[in-house]
């Protein structure tokens, strides 16, 4: 859903702090490791479903683009953190494996999983029918699209013709949502939306704080986190819409899908899944039943 910044995360965070803008390098809620993580144990039934090659390695190689706080981002030492990272780590533990995160550009993760360079992808992937042609998705969360504007500036996402809207490059908001809204504006004889693309969500958020953009569009947990981080400089614009499932990515037809599904369902059942979401303040998108390829089967 997005691309990596071209400079190290620590340098980016330092630059943002110097400008007094939002800095997503450290969470205001959540932690680098939820308290529940220490209590997560192997689920023998789920582990028995892991393909032999992965089981014998003892590792679960996870591709992730940690630039999308609070789902996945980096701490000050450059280590991937976030609630999505914790979910993936917990899945590995349930399967009797150790998660090894492979930092990658977002649009390289699905090809990497499909080509066998990574076992799983965790990067806030929205499960779509188009993506399901390449890989399988184990669905673990639901998120919608949520806009935000500068404090006291009213913006209606359904009537944004002529406005400047910030997005993170290669996200669904960049490739589908905002362009569709802009096309509708043009078809109605109104000015197009001026879409401003940024390499990271921090930069997109800061553009609104600094008055360079009228609003931003991002996944709902990301927008809510950005509002919290800016401490009163941003506000919600409209309601959440286009709710869709997130999925952990595995190779098409791989038995790993069933193993990951069983691991996640075990986490739901024993409460460790909800504990992670609660720690990061994103429990609203939690689900009770873990599914596979919800876009096609929903």
């Amino acid at each position: 859903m997005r691309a990596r910044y071209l400079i190290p995360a620590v340098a980016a965070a330092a630059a943002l702090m110097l400008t007094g803008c939002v800095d997503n390098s450290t969470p205001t809620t959540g932690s680098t490791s939820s308290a529940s993580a220490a209590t997560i144990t192997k689920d023998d039934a789920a582990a028995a479903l892991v393909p032999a090659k992965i089981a014998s390695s003892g590792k679960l190689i996870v591709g992730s683009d940690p630039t999308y706080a609070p789902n996945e981002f980096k701490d000050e030492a450059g280590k991937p953190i976030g609630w999505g990272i914790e979910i993936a780590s917990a899945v590995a533990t349930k399967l009797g494996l150790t998660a090894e995160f492979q930092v990658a550009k977002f649009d390289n993760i699905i090809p990497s999983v499909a080509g066998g360079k990574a076992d799983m992808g965790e990067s806030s992937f929205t499960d779509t029918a188009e993506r399901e042609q390449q890989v399988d998705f184990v669905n673990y969360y639901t998120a919608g699209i949520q806009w935000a504007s500068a404090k006291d500036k009213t913006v209606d996402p359904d009537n944004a013709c002529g406005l400047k809207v910030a997005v993170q490059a290669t996200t669904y908001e960049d490739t589908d949502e905002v362009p569709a809204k802009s096309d509708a504006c043009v078809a109605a004889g109104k000015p197009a939306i001026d879409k401003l693309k940024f390499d990271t969500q921090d930069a997109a958020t800061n553009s609104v704080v600094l008055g360079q953009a009228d609003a931003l569009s991002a996944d709902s947990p990301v927008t809510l986190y950005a509002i919290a981080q800016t401490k009163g400089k941003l506000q919600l614009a409209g309601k959440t819409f286009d709710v869709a499932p997130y999925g952990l990515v595995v190779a098409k037809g791989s038995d790993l899908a069933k193993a990951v599904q069983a691991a996640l369902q075990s986490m739901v059942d024993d409460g460790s899944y909800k504990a992670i979401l609660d720690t990061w303040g994103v429990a609203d998108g939690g689900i009770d039943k873990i599914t596979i390829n919800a876009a096609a089967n929903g």
Side-chain angles (χ1 to χ4, degrees), residues 7-258:
I7 60 176
V10 175
L16 290 168
M17 285 188 282
L18 287 173
T19 62
C21 299
V22 61
D23 169 22
N24 282 343
S25 64
T26 305
T28 52
T29 59
S31 65
T32 58
S33 179
S34 292
S36 62
T39 64
I40 295 172
T41 56
K42 179 181 177 182
D43 184 294
D44 290 334
L49 300 173
V50 177
K53 182 178 179 181
I54 297 175
S56 63
S57 75
K59 298 186 295 185
L60 186 68
I61 308 301
V62 183
S64 187
D65 176 13
T67 63
Y68 213 48
N71 303 7
E72 53 276 328
F73 58 117
K74 287 185 177 183
D75 64 15
E76 293 178 356
K79 177 184 176 182
I81 59 172
W83 67 266
I85 297 294
E86 291 189 16
I87 289 287
S89 294
V91 165
T93 299
K94 283 285 185 182
L95 298 178
L97 305 169
T98 299
E100 184 175 299
F101 290 93
Q102 193 177 81
V103 173
K105 192 174 180 179
F106 180 80
D107 52 9
N108 289 338
I109 297 173
I110 285 180
S112 179
V113 172
K117 293 182 180 179
D119 302 316
M120 188 174 80
E122 185 290 309
S123 221
S124 302
F125 283 99
T126 298
D127 178 0
T128 67
E130 181 181 5
R131 286 172 172 167
E132 285 179 11
Q133 294 176 18
Q134 305 174 65
V135 290
D136 288 330
F137 288 85
V138 182
N139 308 111
Y140 64 98
Y141 192 77
T142 57
I145 298 173
Q146 177 67 63
W147 283 35
S149 60
K151 187 69 174 176
D152 298 325
K153 182 179 179 66
T154 301
V155 171
D156 179 2
D158 294 323
N159 187 24
C161 303
L163 297 183
K164 294 180 179 179
V165 179
V167 296
Q168 186 171 354
T170 76
T171 60
Y172 178 83
E173 289 81 2
D174 171 29
T175 61
D176 292 76
E177 183 250 331
V178 174
K181 281 184 167 62
S182 183
D183 289 345
C185 289
V186 174
K190 299 178 180 179
I193 293 174
D194 185 4
K195 184 181 67 175
L196 306 181
K197 296 199 297 184
F198 296 89
D199 287 325
T200 66
Q201 187 59 44
D202 280 353
T205 299
N206 284 336
S207 71
V208 182
V209 172
L210 297 173
Q212 298 167 346
D214 298 297
L216 66 86
S217 179
D219 289 2
S220 49
V222 174
T223 298
L224 292 171
Y225 185 75
I227 291 172
Q229 289 292 87
T230 56
K231 296 179 172 61
K233 295 178 180 178
L234 296 178
Q235 64 182 18
L236 293 175
K239 297 181 179 180
T240 302
F241 58 93
D242 287 357
V243 175
Y246 276 173
L248 297 175
V249 175
V250 299
K252 194 71 182 172
S254 170
D255 290 337
L256 184 60
K258 289 290 187 182

Side-chain angles (χ1 to χ4, degrees), residues 285-298:
I287 58 177
D288 295 324
K289 183 178 180 181
I290 306 300
T291 60
I292 296 175
N293 293 337
N297 299 321

